[in-house]
Coordinates of all heavy atoms in Angstrom, one line a residue:
D171 N -14.7 -76.2 24.5 CA -14.3 -75.4 25.7 C -12.8 -75.1 25.7 O -12.4 -73.9 25.9 CB -14.7 -76.0 27.0 CG -16.2 -76.2 27.2 OD1 -16.9 -75.3 26.7 OD2 -16.6 -77.1 27.8
I172 N -12.0 -76.1 25.4 CA -10.6 -75.9 25.4 C -10.2 -75.0 24.2 O -9.3 -74.1 24.4 CB -9.8 -77.3 25.3 CG1 -10.1 -78.1 26.6 CG2 -8.3 -77.1 25.1 CD1 -9.6 -77.5 27.8
I173 N -10.7 -75.2 23.1 CA -10.5 -74.4 21.9 C -10.8 -73.0 22.2 O -10.1 -72.0 21.8 CB -11.2 -74.9 20.7 CG1 -10.7 -76.3 20.3 CG2 -11.1 -74.0 19.5 CD1 -9.2 -76.3 19.9
R174 N -12.0 -72.8 22.8 CA -12.5 -71.4 23.1 C -11.5 -70.7 24.1 O -11.2 -69.5 23.9 CB -13.9 -71.5 23.7 CG -14.6 -70.2 23.8 CD -16.0 -70.3 24.3 NE -16.8 -71.2 23.4 CZ -17.3 -72.4 23.8 NH1 -17.0 -72.9 25.0 NH2 -18.0 -73.1 22.9
L175 N -11.1 -71.5 25.1 CA -10.1 -70.9 26.1 C -8.8 -70.5 25.4 O -8.3 -69.4 25.6 CB -9.8 -71.9 27.2 CG -8.8 -71.5 28.2 CD1 -9.2 -70.3 29.0 CD2 -8.4 -72.7 29.1
A176 N -8.3 -71.3 24.5 CA -7.1 -71.0 23.7 C -7.3 -69.7 22.9 O -6.4 -68.9 22.8 CB -6.7 -72.2 22.9
D177 N -8.5 -69.7 22.2 CA -8.7 -68.5 21.4 C -8.8 -67.2 22.2 O -8.3 -66.2 21.8 CB -10.1 -68.7 20.6 CG -9.9 -69.8 19.5 OD1 -8.8 -70.1 19.1 OD2 -11.0 -70.3 19.1
I178 N -9.5 -67.3 23.4 CA -9.6 -66.2 24.2 C -8.2 -65.7 24.7 O -7.9 -64.5 24.6 CB -10.4 -66.5 25.5 CG1 -11.9 -66.6 25.1 CG2 -10.3 -65.5 26.6 CD1 -12.8 -67.2 26.2
L179 N -7.3 -66.6 25.0 CA -6.0 -66.2 25.5 C -5.2 -65.7 24.3 O -4.3 -64.8 24.5 CB -5.3 -67.4 26.1 CG -5.8 -67.7 27.6 CD1 -5.3 -69.0 28.1 CD2 -5.4 -66.6 28.5
L180 N -5.4 -66.2 23.1 CA -4.7 -65.6 22.0 C -5.1 -64.2 21.8 O -4.2 -63.3 21.4 CB -5.0 -66.5 20.7 CG -4.2 -67.8 20.6 CD1 -4.7 -68.6 19.4 CD2 -2.7 -67.6 20.5
F181 N -6.4 -63.9 21.9 CA -6.8 -62.5 21.9 C -6.2 -61.7 22.9 O -5.7 -60.5 22.7 CB -8.4 -62.5 22.0 CG -8.9 -61.1 22.4 CD1 -9.0 -60.1 21.4 CD2 -9.3 -60.8 23.7 CE1 -9.5 -58.9 21.8 CE2 -9.7 -59.6 24.1 CZ -9.9 -58.6 23.1
V182 N -6.1 -62.2 24.2 CA -5.4 -61.5 25.3 C -3.9 -61.2 24.9 O -3.4 -60.1 25.1 CB -5.5 -62.3 26.6 CG1 -4.6 -61.7 27.7 CG2 -6.9 -62.3 27.0
G183 N -3.3 -62.2 24.3 CA -1.9 -62.1 23.9 C -1.7 -61.0 22.9 O -0.7 -60.2 22.9
V184 N -2.6 -60.8 21.9 CA -2.5 -59.8 20.9 C -2.7 -58.4 21.6 O -2.0 -57.4 21.3 CB -3.6 -60.0 19.8 CG1 -3.7 -58.7 18.9 CG2 -3.3 -61.2 19.0
F185 N -3.7 -58.4 22.6 CA -3.9 -57.1 23.3 C -2.7 -56.7 24.1 O -2.3 -55.6 24.2 CB -5.1 -57.3 24.2 CG -5.6 -56.0 24.8 CD1 -6.6 -55.3 24.1 CD2 -5.1 -55.5 26.0 CE1 -7.1 -54.1 24.6 CE2 -5.6 -54.3 26.5 CZ -6.6 -53.6 25.8
M186 N -2.0 -57.7 24.7 CA -0.8 -57.4 25.5 C 0.3 -56.9 24.5 O 1.1 -56.0 24.9 CB -0.3 -58.7 26.2 CG -1.2 -59.1 27.3 SD -0.7 -60.7 28.1 CE 0.9 -60.2 28.7
A187 N 0.4 -57.5 23.3 CA 1.4 -57.0 22.4 C 1.1 -55.5 22.0 O 2.0 -54.7 21.9 CB 1.4 -57.8 21.1
G188 N -0.2 -55.2 21.9 CA -0.6 -53.8 21.6 C -0.2 -52.9 22.8 O 0.3 -51.8 22.6
Q189 N -0.3 -53.4 24.0 CA 0.1 -52.6 25.2 C 1.6 -52.3 25.1 O 2.1 -51.2 25.4 CB -0.2 -53.4 26.5 CG -1.6 -53.5 26.8 CD -1.9 -54.5 28.0 OE1 -1.0 -55.3 28.3 NE2 -3.0 -54.3 28.6
A190 N 2.4 -53.3 24.7 CA 3.8 -53.2 24.6 C 4.2 -52.1 23.5 O 5.1 -51.3 23.8 CB 4.5 -54.5 24.2
V191 N 3.5 -52.1 22.4 CA 3.7 -51.1 21.4 C 3.4 -49.7 21.9 O 4.2 -48.8 21.7 CB 2.9 -51.4 20.1 CG1 3.0 -50.3 19.1 CG2 3.4 -52.7 19.5
V192 N 2.2 -49.6 22.5 CA 1.8 -48.3 23.1 C 2.8 -47.8 24.1 O 3.2 -46.6 24.1 CB 0.4 -48.4 23.7 CG1 0.1 -47.2 24.5 CG2 -0.6 -48.6 22.6
Q193 N 3.3 -48.7 25.0 CA 4.2 -48.3 26.1 C 5.6 -48.0 25.6 O 6.2 -47.1 26.0 CB 4.2 -49.4 27.1 CG 5.0 -49.1 28.4 CD 4.8 -50.2 29.4 OE1 4.1 -51.2 29.3 NE2 5.6 -50.0 30.5
Y194 N 6.1 -48.9 24.7 CA 7.5 -48.8 24.2 C 7.7 -47.7 23.2 O 8.6 -46.9 23.3 CB 8.0 -50.1 23.8 CG 9.4 -50.1 23.4 CD1 10.4 -50.3 24.4 CD2 9.9 -49.9 22.1 CE1 11.8 -50.3 24.2 CE2 11.3 -49.9 21.8 CZ 12.2 -50.1 22.9 OH 13.5 -50.1 22.6
F195 N 6.8 -47.7 22.1 CA 7.0 -46.9 21.0 C 6.4 -45.5 21.1 O 6.9 -44.5 20.7 CB 6.6 -47.5 19.7 CG 7.4 -48.7 19.3 CD1 6.9 -50.0 19.5 CD2 8.6 -48.6 18.8 CE1 7.6 -51.1 19.1 CE2 9.4 -49.7 18.4 CZ 8.9 -51.0 18.6
L196 N 5.2 -45.5 21.8 CA 4.5 -44.2 22.0 C 4.7 -43.6 23.3 O 4.3 -42.4 23.5 CB 3.0 -44.5 21.8 CG 2.5 -45.1 20.5 CD1 1.0 -45.2 20.4 CD2 3.0 -44.3 19.3
G197 N 5.4 -44.3 24.2 CA 5.7 -43.7 25.5 C 4.5 -43.5 26.4 O 4.6 -42.7 27.3
S198 N 3.4 -44.2 26.2 CA 2.2 -44.0 27.0 C 2.2 -45.0 28.1 O 2.5 -46.1 28.0 CB 1.0 -44.2 26.1 OG -0.2 -44.1 26.9
D199 N 1.7 -44.5 29.3 CA 1.6 -45.3 30.5 C 0.2 -45.6 30.8 O -0.2 -45.8 32.0 CB 2.4 -44.8 31.6 CG 1.9 -43.4 32.1 OD1 1.0 -42.9 31.3 OD2 2.3 -42.9 33.1
I200 N -0.7 -45.5 29.8 CA -2.2 -45.7 30.1 C -2.5 -47.0 30.8 O -3.4 -47.1 31.6 CB -3.0 -45.5 28.8 CG1 -4.5 -45.5 29.1 CG2 -2.6 -46.6 27.8 CD1 -5.3 -45.2 27.9
F201 N -1.7 -48.0 30.5 CA -2.0 -49.4 31.1 C -1.2 -49.7 32.3 O -1.4 -50.7 32.9 CB -1.8 -50.5 30.0 CG -2.8 -50.4 28.9 CD1 -2.4 -50.0 27.6 CD2 -4.1 -50.9 29.0 CE1 -3.2 -49.9 26.6 CE2 -5.0 -50.9 28.0 CZ -4.5 -50.4 26.7
V202 N -0.3 -48.8 32.7 CA 0.5 -49.0 33.8 C -0.3 -48.7 35.1 O -0.8 -47.5 35.2 CB 1.8 -48.1 33.8 CG1 2.6 -48.3 35.1 CG2 2.6 -48.5 32.6
P203 N -0.5 -49.6 36.0 CA -1.3 -49.3 37.2 C -0.6 -48.3 38.1 O 0.5 -48.5 38.6 CB -1.4 -50.7 37.9 CG -0.3 -51.5 37.3 CD 0.0 -51.0 36.0
S204 N -1.4 -47.3 38.5 CA -0.8 -46.2 39.4 C -0.8 -46.7 40.8 O -0.2 -46.1 41.6 CB -1.7 -45.0 39.2 OG -3.0 -45.2 39.6
Y205 N -1.6 -47.7 41.1 CA -1.7 -48.2 42.5 C -0.6 -49.2 42.9 O -0.6 -49.8 43.9 CB -3.1 -48.8 42.8 CG -3.5 -49.8 41.7 CD1 -3.2 -51.2 41.9 CD2 -4.2 -49.4 40.6 CE1 -3.6 -52.1 40.9 CE2 -4.6 -50.4 39.6 CZ -4.3 -51.7 39.8 OH -4.7 -52.6 38.9
L206 N 0.3 -49.5 41.9 CA 1.4 -50.4 42.1 C 2.7 -49.8 41.8 O 2.8 -48.8 41.0 CB 1.3 -51.7 41.2 CG 0.1 -52.6 41.4 CD1 0.1 -53.7 40.4 CD2 0.1 -53.2 42.8
E207 N 3.8 -50.2 42.4 CA 5.1 -49.8 42.0 C 5.6 -50.6 40.8 O 5.7 -51.8 40.9 CB 6.1 -50.0 43.2 CG 5.8 -49.1 44.4 CD 6.8 -49.3 45.5 OE1 7.9 -50.0 45.3 OE2 6.6 -48.8 46.6
V208 N 5.9 -49.9 39.7 CA 6.2 -50.6 38.5 C 7.6 -50.0 38.0 O 7.6 -49.1 37.1 CB 5.1 -50.4 37.4 CG1 5.4 -51.3 36.2 CG2 3.8 -50.7 38.0
P209 N 8.7 -50.4 38.6 CA 10.0 -49.8 38.3 C 10.4 -50.0 36.8 O 11.0 -49.2 36.2 CB 10.9 -50.4 39.3 CG 10.3 -51.7 39.7 CD 8.8 -51.4 39.7
H210 N 10.0 -51.2 36.3 CA 10.5 -51.5 34.9 C 9.9 -50.6 33.9 O 10.4 -50.5 32.8 CB 10.2 -53.0 34.6 CG 11.0 -54.0 35.4 ND1 10.7 -55.3 35.5 CD2 12.1 -53.8 36.2 CE1 11.6 -55.9 36.3 NE2 12.4 -55.0 36.8
A211 N 8.7 -50.0 34.2 CA 8.0 -49.2 33.2 C 8.9 -48.0 32.9 O 8.7 -47.4 31.8 CB 6.7 -48.7 33.8
T212 N 9.7 -47.5 33.8 CA 10.6 -46.4 33.5 C 11.9 -46.8 32.9 O 12.8 -45.9 32.7 CB 10.8 -45.6 34.8 OG1 11.5 -46.4 35.8 CG2 9.5 -45.1 35.4
E213 N 12.1 -48.1 32.7 CA 13.4 -48.6 32.1 C 13.3 -49.0 30.7 O 14.1 -49.7 30.1 CB 13.9 -49.8 33.0 CG 14.1 -49.4 34.4 CD 14.5 -50.7 35.3 OE1 14.6 -51.8 34.7 OE2 14.6 -50.5 36.5
G214 N 12.2 -48.6 30.0 CA 12.0 -48.9 28.6 C 11.7 -50.4 28.4 O 11.9 -51.0 27.3
R215 N 11.0 -51.0 29.4 CA 10.6 -52.4 29.3 C 9.1 -52.5 29.4 O 8.5 -51.9 30.2 CB 11.3 -53.3 30.4 CG 12.8 -53.3 30.3 CD 13.5 -53.5 31.6 NE 13.3 -54.9 32.0 CZ 13.9 -55.4 33.1 NH1 14.6 -54.7 33.9 NH2 13.7 -56.7 33.4
A216 N 8.5 -53.4 28.5 CA 7.1 -53.5 28.5 C 6.6 -54.2 29.7 O 7.1 -55.3 30.1 CB 6.6 -54.3 27.2
T217 N 5.6 -53.7 30.4 CA 5.0 -54.3 31.6 C 3.5 -54.5 31.5 O 3.0 -55.2 32.3 CB 5.3 -53.4 32.8 OG1 4.7 -52.1 32.6 CG2 6.8 -53.2 33.0
G218 N 2.8 -53.9 30.5 CA 1.4 -54.0 30.4 C 0.7 -53.6 31.7 O 1.0 -52.5 32.3
T219 N -0.2 -54.4 32.2 CA -1.0 -54.0 33.4 C -0.3 -54.7 34.6 O -0.9 -54.6 35.7 CB -2.4 -54.5 33.3 OG1 -2.4 -56.0 33.2 CG2 -3.1 -53.9 32.1
F220 N 0.9 -55.3 34.5 CA 1.5 -56.0 35.6 C 2.5 -55.1 36.3 O 2.8 -54.0 35.9 CB 2.2 -57.3 35.1 CG 1.2 -58.2 34.4 CD1 1.1 -58.3 33.0 CD2 0.4 -59.1 35.2 CE1 0.2 -59.2 32.5 CE2 -0.5 -59.9 34.6 CZ -0.6 -60.0 33.3
A221 N 3.0 -55.6 37.5 CA 3.8 -54.9 38.3 C 5.3 -54.8 37.8 O 6.1 -54.0 38.2 CB 3.8 -55.4 39.7
N222 N 5.6 -55.7 36.9 CA 7.0 -55.7 36.3 C 7.0 -56.5 35.0 O 6.0 -57.2 34.7 CB 8.0 -56.3 37.3 CG 7.7 -57.7 37.7 OD1 7.7 -58.6 36.9 ND2 7.5 -57.9 39.0
S223 N 8.1 -56.3 34.3 CA 8.2 -56.9 33.0 C 8.4 -58.4 33.0 O 8.1 -59.1 32.1 CB 9.4 -56.3 32.2 OG 10.6 -56.6 32.9

Side-chain angles (χ1 to χ4, degrees):
D171 293 329
I172 297 296
I173 295 298
R174 192 177 299 114
L175 175 65
D177 289 342
I178 287 170
L179 283 170
L180 285 173
F181 162 78
V182 170
V184 171
F185 194 91
M186 289 177 64
Q189 291 172 337
V191 171
V192 168
Q193 187 175 355
Y194 186 84
F195 293 105
L196 302 182
S198 173
D199 61 353
I200 185 173
F201 293 104
V202 177
S204 61
Y205 50 89
L206 295 175
E207 294 182 10
V208 191
H210 292 167
T212 60
E213 299 174 4
R215 297 156 72 178
T217 58
T219 63
F220 298 102
N222 59 60
S223 60

